[in-house]
Amino acid sequence: MALEQSLAALSLATVTAESATPTKTLVFKPKTAKTAAPVPVVVFALQSTQTPSPHIASAAGVKEPRLAKEDLVQEFFSTTPKEFSVANLNKDLAGKIKIVIDESIFKGDENLVLELSTESAKAALPATTIVEFLKSTGIELIPVDFSAEVAAPAAAAPQKSKKDALKKEKEAAKLDDAKLIGITVDKAKDFSTWYSQVVVKGEMLDYYDVSGCYILRPNSYAVWEEIQNWFNERIKKMGVQNSYFPMFVSSRVLEKEKDHIEGFAPEVAWVTRAGSSELDEHIAIRPTSETVMYPYYSKWIRSHRDLPLKLNQWNSVVRWEFKHPQPFLRTREFLWQEGHTAHLTREAAAEEVDQILDLYSGIYEELLAVPVVKGRKTENEKFAGGDYTTTVEGFIAATGRGIQGATSHHLGTNFSKMFNISVENPDGSDKPRVFAFQNSWGLSTRVIGVMVMTHSDNRGLVLPPRVAQTQAVVIPVGLTSKTTDEARKAINDGAVDIEQRLRAINVRATGDYRDIYSPGWKFADSELKGIPIRLEFGPKDLKEEQVTVVRRDNNAKYVVKLADLESRIPEILEEMQKGLLEKARKDFDEHRVIVEEWKDFVPALNAKNVIVAPWCGVPECEDDIKDSSAKKDNGEDEEVDDKSPSMGAKSLCIPNEQRELKPGQKCVRCDKVAVNWCMFGRSY
Ligand SMILES: *[C@@H]1O[C@H](CO)[C@@H](O)[C@H](O)[C@H]1NC(C)=O
Ligand SMILES: *[C@@H]1O[C@H](CO)[C@@H](O)[C@H](O)[C@H]1NC(C)=O
Ligand SMILES: [Zn+2]
């Protein structure tokens, strides 16, 4: 765990070891009563800092710390003193050891880069990264200013006040205790740091050593599986079948549909070598599968009786983007489903486009509790090579930006003409062959990012119950050192029983019976991971035959009689599911504002809204809106980066639900007459 995290951190930090400041990591064993378990103190300091043991003793509140022998280091850290560094620390050590940390590291400036070294390995990491990591372990972290501590015994008064200051600092760290394992920045103040902490600490994903690629851990993959199950069940009812096509495309085939591939070309990754030999023909990795699949549609569709052909695949695609990557939202490889269908008539195809869009909306609203607006993309924003694109558009309230949720395209006959996907005319009329009408539709793991951004808070992830891997955690509470073994057993048994009863009715429940952690620590841990409800079971609950239930999203407390467990818990989970959607819908509704005059447009955007405005439908006007709504303070062309609040507003969609236009209503930007209401916004 520790090593993985530091490796992940390494891949983030591109620093050279040459400029790094050397450090030392030492293990001390304080004097303890023979019967008590030792609590080792790890000292982490700059190599140049002197760390006299009296100061360690006073900081850590221990007696006579001595450098630990090899067997103690082995016992706690499973390594030898020579190979030991802070990278060996992990969550499991929380409560078992203490860390005394050199204040010049703890408070080190942002540019301080440290060298961690053991006998066999070296790594250079920013001090802030290491401190973050140490905080994330939940181990008690005690900062010490070793230089100021070295005071003459005579100077009693200053030393005392110094001690007080130290005590205060420790106190402050303690107050932060629950936070130490958790999120350290405010969602409202530093959204992007908050987001990466939430997804990493909530164990949704981890960073990987290929930039732009991430590991989906069980906590997020489980969400994806729920989506797969929900969607598979429904598309199969529509007659769609799953299949799998290869990830490699020959350049010949990839370039067959020039217009289509043009948009992807700069992002296509190529295989050019096998072992040490150059390949004769370079092979592309699919950025999407139209050109992979359609030659075979042409081969398989021979008669009108072969239509409709409806195939879907769950796969990954690769788009080698150079923009700043962001977990789930912009990654070089991502998971999605892509459906590709061919129909005899335009009407049949158009009907399916809408049905799929309804399913996408269902995934967002029913499963992920994220409200979306259904609509159609403008000519500028539609899928190249298609007739029209429908979309579900979401909204990230914290940043005031829109986000494309998923798209369902009607391709018309452009591709079927290109690939000769044709059948003899069943009418037998003058036209001997007709081309198939095609659709394609896709939804990716980006949905998970939208869900996280929407619901999660400063305590970590909030997962909607319907997609949460673990829906409920049972935690024994109220046990003290005075609790008798008998009472302890009764409470633990009661908790296990609750857990099992829930599992029997298909509530995904677990129990947290780890002795070394306090209930408070466990609460914080389950909140960080987004578990929808926790069930606290203590002596009073045992006596009253009840359990106390706390909801993750709003801290609402419910006392549930054990007799009602099977009926009440699923209800509470559903209440939470509904509550999340309602709250998010309210946010979206309040921040989707009607703007009819251009002077109100940019101020509304800057107030973190998306805008619904009367619009002429002319592509050049859309370009103009985008340019004119971008802030160009520095005269440079604004980079459409995540951190840039200055990007212009794109059209998000022309919503299906249209309010009536006033007679003669003008376009929000130009003098032409408006043809519809269009939703604009800064977007991801
Ligand atoms: C696709 O076909 C439509 C007409 O059906 C045409 O308007 C459009 O330009 C074509 N797009 C491409 C990229 O070939
Ligand atoms: C398309 O395929 C059909 C059936 O194989 C064939 O008869 C026709 O000649 C093909 N058209 C083109 C343009 O290749
Ligand atoms: Zn206009």
Side-chain angles (χ1 to χ4, degrees), residues 602 605-606 626-639 644-649 682:
V602 175
L605 270 188
N606 291 345
K626 191 169 176 180
D627 286 346
S628 313
S629 57
K631 284 186 211 140
K632 285 185 194 140
D633 318 334
N634 50 11
E636 280 170 40
D637 211 353
E638 81 288 354
E639 165 63 6
S644 160
S646 60
M647 71 169 74
R682 297 194 168 121

Side-chain angles (χ1 to χ4, degrees), residues 203-205 215-225 469:
E203 297 183 358
M204 296 294 267
L205 60 66
I215 299 160
L216 299 190
R217 301 185 65 185
N219 216 16
S220 63
Y221 201 80
V223 175
W224 190 235
E225 285 180 309
Q469 170 171 244

Side-chain angles (χ1 to χ4, degrees), residues 298 301-302 417 419-423 433 435:
S298 168
I301 296 169
R302 292 277 134 171
K417 282 176 184 151
F419 288 91
N420 192 15
I421 304 170
S422 63
V423 297
R433 296 193 76 77
F435 290 99

Side-chain angles (χ1 to χ4, degrees), residues 18 45 95 144 155 246 278 291 317 542 590:
E18 284 82 57
V144 173
E278 184 84 5
T291 56
V317 291
L542 180 68
E590 283 172 2

Side-chain angles (χ1 to χ4, degrees), residues 615-616 621 667 669-670:
W615 183 53
C616 62
C621 177
C667 169
R669 178 66 191 152
C670 69

Side-chain angles (χ1 to χ4, degrees), residues 526-556:
S526 71
E527 288 176 346
L528 196 57
K529 298 195 180 110
I531 300 175
I533 55 172
R534 71 165 184 263
L535 288 79
E536 302 171 10
F537 189 68
K540 180 166 175 246
D541 302 296
L542 180 68
K543 196 163 134 252
E544 307 281 335
E545 300 187 352
Q546 66 187 32
V547 63
T548 306
V549 180
V550 182
R551 240 168 80 173
R552 169 65 183 87
D553 60 326
N554 61 1
N555 277 328

Side-chain angles (χ1 to χ4, degrees), residues 401-548:
R401 284 158 66 172
I403 185 159
Q404 178 177 304
T407 46
S408 174
H409 315 284
H410 177 53
L411 305 176
T413 54
N414 288 357
F415 283 95
S416 60
K417 282 176 184 151
M418 185 62 60
F419 288 91
N420 192 15
I421 304 170
S422 63
V423 297
E424 82 289 3
N425 194 338
D427 285 352
S429 59
D430 45 350
K431 254 207 284 177
R433 296 193 76 77
V434 290
F435 290 99
F437 291 90
Q438 288 182 276
N439 296 334
S440 72
W441 25 271
L443 170 126
S444 76
T445 37
R446 132 182 299 226
V447 295
I448 299 172
V450 180
M451 173 195 77
V452 170
M453 289 180 163
T454 301
H455 304 306
S456 301
D457 61 23
N458 287 345
R459 286 179 291 137
L461 273 179
V462 176
L463 293 175
R466 287 186 196 159
V467 294
Q469 170 171 244
T470 302
Q471 296 172 311
V473 58
V474 186
I475 300 176
V477 298
L479 301 173
T480 69
S481 53
K482 293 193 190 100
T483 312
T484 63
D485 283 353
E486 204 182 342
R488 191 176 292 268
K489 184 169 181 319
I491 286 169
N492 273 325
D493 288 352
V496 170
D497 187 51
I498 291 171
E499 189 197 323
Q500 284 170 350
R501 281 173 60 186
L502 291 178
R503 279 218 291 268
I505 56 161
N506 294 325
V507 171
R508 298 187 286 271
T510 60
D512 190 343
Y513 310 112
R514 295 174 291 179
D515 283 334
I516 54 164
Y517 296 120
S518 68
W521 193 94
K522 292 176 186 176
F523 295 172
D525 187 48
S526 71
E527 288 176 346
L528 196 57
K529 298 195 180 110
I531 300 175
I533 55 172
R534 71 165 184 263
L535 288 79
E536 302 171 10
F537 189 68
K540 180 166 175 246
D541 302 296
L542 180 68
K543 196 163 134 252
E544 307 281 335
E545 300 187 352
Q546 66 187 32
V547 63
T548 306

